[in-house]
Amino acid sequence: MANPYYTKPRIHFGDYQPISPQWSGTPQHQPKVLVPGGGHLNASAFTASSNATPITVAAAGAAAGATTIPLQSAIASSIPSGKILDFTGAGKFAKLTAAAAEGATSITVEALPQALVSGDMAYYSMGDYLLVQSGTLVGRTYAERDAGIGYGPYATGDEEAHLLFFDVHNALIDNEAELYMAKSNNVVYENFLPNWTSLSTEIKTFIRANYNCLIGVA
C-alpha cells in the first residue's frame, strides 16, 4: 500500500543567468541592488498580453506588400511558421512564412495587406506558458505582501514595486524572481528596457522617480 504522506521529490533546473541585463547599469553584486531573498510572481495576475512575447515594429516600418518586418528588439521566444500576428490597428495582420528563432530582429511574412509603422505591436502566446520578461515592472500592495501574495504587473495603488531583473521563463512552473531594487539610486538605461516607448506614462513616471534613469549606448 502506498504511503499517503509521501511526496515525490521534484527538482527543477532553471537557466543560469550570470550576466546582468543590458538595461541595468549597477553591478548586481553590489549592496542594495537586488532585493534580498528575491520574491515570487503571482502568475494568476498576469493577463493574456503579459503572458505573451511582444513583437514591436522597428522605426523603418514595413510597407504594404512587404515580406519582411523589422523589429524594434530581439524576440524573446521562437515563433513557428504559419502563425498569424494581429498588430495594432484594424486589419493589420501578418502571417509568418518561415519560423522566427529566439533573438531574431526581423520576421518573414506573406505580403502585408497594410503598411506597419514604427511602434505597431502584436503579441505571441505560447499557450500554457507564462514568460515574464526581464525589465517588467512588477508590484503589489502591502496588504498583498502581508497575505503572502506574489508580485503581479504594476498597477495603480501598488505600494511595493521593482523591476524584474532576469526573465521568468514560465511562472506557471517556477515563479521565483530576482528583483532590481527601487529607491536605491540603481541605474536603468531606459532605452534598453523592453518596449519602453509603448509603456504607460504612469509606469515611466514610476521608473524615473525610483531609479537613476540614463540613456544607454549600445
Side-chain angles (χ1 to χ4, degrees):
M1 179 179 177
N3 185 344
Y5 300 104
Y6 174 74
T7 300
K8 185 176 180 180
R10 171 180 171 271
I11 300 175
H12 175 70
F13 294 96
D15 291 341
Y16 178 55
Q17 296 174 296
I19 301 174
S20 297
Q22 186 181 24
W23 56 262
S24 69
T26 304
Q28 58 178 291
H29 64 271
Q30 293 186 6
K32 298 183 180 180
V33 175
L34 300 182
V35 173
H40 66 281
L41 302 182
N42 177 15
S44 64
F46 288 83
T47 63
S49 61
S50 59
N51 183 13
T53 299
I55 310 294
T56 307
V57 178
T67 56
T68 300
I69 301 173
L71 304 179
Q72 191 177 94
S73 56
I75 59 175
S77 63
S78 60
I79 306 175
S81 178
K83 178 66 179 179
I84 297 175
L85 300 175
D86 182 4
F87 283 89
T88 311
K92 291 188 174 183
F93 297 96
K95 182 178 180 180
L96 272 71
T97 56
E102 179 180 347
T105 55
S106 65
I107 54 177
T108 304
V109 298
E110 291 183 353
L112 292 172
Q114 288 195 39
L116 298 177
V117 299
S118 176
D120 278 350
M121 292 186 68
Y123 289 94
Y124 166 58
S125 176
M126 293 175 288
D128 191 20
Y129 195 92
L130 179 53
L131 168 71
V132 186
Q133 278 190 296
S134 168
T136 299
L137 184 64
V138 296
R140 61 184 176 181
T141 63
Y142 290 142
E144 289 172 329
R145 181 194 64 185
D146 295 343
I149 297 172
Y151 293 86
Y154 178 83
T156 302
D158 279 347
E159 298 161 296
E160 182 182 34
H162 308 278
L163 288 168
L164 185 65
F165 198 64
F166 294 125
D167 288 340
V168 173
H169 292 279
N170 189 355
L172 298 175
I173 294 176
D174 185 354
N175 65 351
E176 293 182 1
E178 293 286 358
L179 303 169
Y180 197 52
M181 189 181 293
K183 303 178 181 178
S184 296
N185 204 38
N186 287 326
V187 172
V188 167
Y189 299 121
E190 59 183 43
N191 55 313
F192 293 150
L193 280 172
N195 302 297
W196 169 259
T197 57
S198 61
L199 293 178
S200 70
T201 300
E202 182 179 9
I203 289 178
K204 288 181 178 179
T205 298
F206 179 93
I207 292 172
R208 285 172 168 168
N210 289 278
Y211 294 94
N212 182 10
C213 288
L214 306 172
I215 297 299
V217 177

